[in-house]
Amino acid sequence: MADPMKMRATLKGDTAEVRVLMNHPMETGQRKGPDGKVVPMHFIQNVEVKLNGKTVIEGQTSQAVSRNPVFSFRLKGAKAGDKLEISWLDNKGDKNQTETALA
Amino acid sequence: MRIAERSSALFAALALAAGPAAAQSQFEKYQKMVAESSPVELFELVGEDLWKKKQGPKSASLEQCDLGMGSGVLAGAYARLPRYFEDVDQVMDLETRMLHCMMTLQGRSREEATKRLFGNADKPSEMEYLSAYVAGLSRGHELAPGQSHPREQASYELGKKLYFVRTGLWDFSCASCHGEEGKRIRMSELPVLYKPEAARPLMATWPAYRVSNSTFKTMQWRLNNCFAQMRTPEPVFGSEVVNALNMFLTVTAKGEPYRGPGTKR
Amino acid sequence: MKRRIVLATAAATLAACASAPVVEHSKMTDAELAAITAVLKRDFRAKGQAKMDRLEPDAVQRACNLHADNPPESVAKSLEQAQLNTIKYPNGSLLGNWSSGRKIAESGRGMQWSEKPGSPGGGGCYNCHQLSPEQTSYGTVGPSLLAFGKTRGYGPDMQRYVYGKIYNAKAYNLCSQMPRFGYTASLTEQQMKDLTAYLLDPKSPVNK
Amino acid sequence: MDALRRVTLKAAAAAGVLAATALHPLRVFAAGWNKDAFQAKTPADALKNLGAAAPADSSAIVIDAPQIAENGAVVPIEVTSNLPSTKSIAVLIEKNPFPLAGKFEFHEGAMPFVKLNVKMGESSNVRVVAEAGGKHYTAVKEVKVTIGGCGG
C-alpha cells in the first residue's frame, strides 16, 4: 500500500486554509531501533505548494519536524475549482504528492 | 491568552460555558493545538482500505461485519459499543467484535488474527488502522453503550468492581492513580474515570493518535498498558475483564458526543 | 451518610436517562473478592516475568479490598506489624550514593511483562512525588518530599524509617498507594540504599 | 486515496538511471536545501547561514505555541507575519542540537503563515525570523517541555 497523504482545503471568502498530513518517519538519526542500532536519518527536506500549477510556497525542513508531519498554509485570492498540489521530497530521494480542487 | 494570567472568574466562566466535561488544565492549549494538527486521519484512511480488503481463507473483506447495527452499518456503530451480541452471547467492544468478524467472515484463525494486535510507529497494526476508521464513522454520535440486556448490566457491574480492586505486584487498582481529583503522574493530569465529568472527554476521544508513541493506539491497548504499569500479568485480548472495564468507562461517559479518534500526549 | 446515599439515589434516578450512575468506592465481601480474583485469573496470562501469582491477593491486598482502603484500626495495626516484620535491613550504613539514587527515582521502569527479568528497574518516585527542586516534572499522587532530610532530620532513626518505607510502605500505612519495593524484590538492597541517600544525604539536591 | 501517487527515485538511482530528473521534470524543488543552515549547531550559525545574522526584533511576527508542552515529540507552532511583503519565515528551536527546523518561502498567492509540529529535546526558545523588504526581523517565544506519564 502506498503511504497515505492527505490534504484538506477549506475556502473562506477568498482565503484558502490548507492542511496537509504526510506519512513519514522523520528519523533524526539519533534514535536506536529495537536491534540497538541507530536508525539512520530519514526526513522530508522539501515541501512545495502549487496553486493552478504555479508554485506559491516552498518549504525546507529538518529532522526536527515531528513524525507524520502536518502543515497548515494559507492562500489568498483562491477560488472554488482552483487546483492545489502539494508534494514533498526527502533526504533519500523519496517523494510523494497529492492534489485537490478547492471547494 | 496566557494561562497564568487567567482570572479565576474567567476560569469559572469558561468551565461553565464549555460544560463540566471540559476540565481546565495547564495543558489545555497544548492538547487543543495538538488535536488541531494531528496526523490521525492518515490512520483512518489506511483503515478504510484494510476494512475493504479481501483477506483470509475466505478471501472476504470486513464490509459485512455486524458491529451491532446490522451487517455493514458503520455510521454511529462505535458509539454504541460495547454491547451484547446475541450471536455469540457475549458483550463485545469494537476490537473484540472486529476480531470475531475476522474469524467468521474472513475465516482467519484467532492465532493468526491476534498475532500482532499492538503495533508501533514503524508498523502500526491492522487492528489499530481498523479502529481508527470505524471509530471515525461515529463522530458526532453520542456515546450510548448497551445497557438494556442483563449481560450488559453485569458487564458494567464487573467493570465497576475491577476499577477499584487492588492487585498485581505493586498493589495498584485503577483508582490508585485515577481515584482522586487534581492528582498528576509526572506532569500528566489523572482523570478520575469513575466520574462522568472526567470519563466523558476521555472516552469521546479514544482510540487515539498518541504523541509519545508517534502512532495510533486502541482502547484495548490503553487498558493493556495500564495493566503493564500495574505490574500484573497480561490481560487476554477481548477478554471479559477488558470488555467490562471498557463498558464501565463508556457507560460512565455516556451521552457525550464522540469526537475521536483523538490525539493524546 | 444515610442522607448522602438518599441524595445520590435520587440524583441517579432523576438523571437515569441522561447520565451515568453515581459510583463510589465501596466495600467488598469475601465472596465478591473471591469471584473477582477468579475472573482475573481466568482472563489474564502469565507473560515474561509477570507470573500469575501476582493476581493472588495477599493479606494486605485482601484487607484493603474488603474495606475499600479503610480497614478497621485493629486489622490495620496487626497487618502493619506483620509487614514491618518483613523488612530486612542491610548490615552497616543505610545510605548509598545519592547520585545513583536520583536515577532510580527518575526511572519508571522495571518488573513489567515486556522487560527482561533482572533488568535494572527504577522506583518511579517522581511519578508521584516531588523530590529535588531541579526536577520540575513531578507527580502529586504522594506527598512532596522536597528538602526531606533538611526538614525531618538526617539521623539513624530517620534513615531506618526511609529505608523501611521504601522496602515496605504498607508497614506504615496499610492501604498506602505506594508499592512495596523491597518486599516484592522490585528494587535491590543497593538501590534502596541509594534512594535513602537521595532523600537523606545532606549533599543530595533534595536537601539543597 | 485515488489521488495519491508515490514516486520513488531510490529505485531509479539504484538502477543507475541517474538521469531520472532529466526524464521527469523533477526540478520542482527549486529552493534546494540550505545544508549549511540546517547543519549549523548554534542559532547564531544557523542565522548567519540564512543570511540573517542580525535580525531586528519585531512585534509584527506572531508566534502561537503552547507555553507548556506535555511531550516534546510534538510541539505545535503557528507563525504569522504581519510585516508587509514578507518573503520568508524560518523557525528555529534554539536548544535543539540543530536549531533550524524549517524555512518557508512565500510567493504571490500565499499568505505569510505556517503551522507545523516540531520536536523539542528540552525547554527552549522558539525563534522565528522573517524576511521582508530585504531585511530580517525576529520574535521569540519560550516553550517549556515537561515529562508526563509513568515512564515505564
Side-chain angles (χ1 to χ4, degrees), chain D residues 4-16:
Chain D
L4 199 155
R5 277 179 292 153
R6 185 178 167 81
V7 185
T8 303
L9 287 181
K10 260 195 312 193

Side-chain angles (χ1 to χ4, degrees), chain D residues 14-51:
Chain D
V17 191
L18 293 169
T21 47
L23 298 171
H24 224 44
L26 275 178
R27 282 301 305 156
V28 287
F29 296 101
W33 194 68
N34 190 337
K35 192 175 165 181
D36 291 339
F38 279 110
Q39 293 187 348
K41 289 185 173 151
T42 64
D45 263 6
L47 289 181
K48 204 173 75 192
N49 284 299
L50 285 171

